[in-house]
Amino acid sequence: MVVRALLIIILTGVLFAYDYRLWKSGKRKDRIVYALLTIPAVYLAIIYVTGVDWPNLDDFAELGVGRAAKSIVNAIKLPS
């Protein structure tokens, strides 16, 4: 767990060090979008480091569009 935490700290440190100048000079909308895109990355990093069995992003997508996607697949499925 310590090795995973160090890996995430190093990778996010490099990412934020590189993006800081761009983020600082960016417009307010760009900063908001960057922050919103960072939230899932932080969530997935927590799952990776701790190894907990929390829902992954595909589970959230399944909740949102799962029923509609299954209906579409069943509608176009060829009979066997």
Side-chain angles (χ1 to χ4, degrees), residues 32-54:
I32 291 171
V33 169
Y34 186 85
L36 289 175
L37 291 174
T38 304
I39 291 170
V42 170
Y43 176 74
L44 292 173
I46 291 170
I47 291 174
Y48 175 72
V49 170
T50 60
V52 295
D53 193 22
W54 289 352

Side-chain angles (χ1 to χ4, degrees), residues 4-62:
R4 289 181 177 189
L6 286 173
L7 177 68
I8 294 297
I9 290 170
I10 290 170
L11 290 176
T12 55
V14 169
L15 176 72
F16 288 133
Y18 176 77
D19 287 343
Y20 179 72
R21 285 181 279 133
L22 299 173
W23 184 79
K24 189 175 178 180
S25 65
K27 297 178 184 176
R28 185 172 188 263
K29 288 182 182 179
D30 296 337
R31 292 184 203 168
I32 291 171
V33 169
Y34 186 85
L36 289 175
L37 291 174
T38 304
I39 291 170
V42 170
Y43 176 74
L44 292 173
I46 291 170
I47 291 174
Y48 175 72
V49 170
T50 60
V52 295
D53 193 22
W54 289 352
N56 207 335
L57 293 181
D58 57 340
D59 297 327
F60 292 126
E62 176 75 26

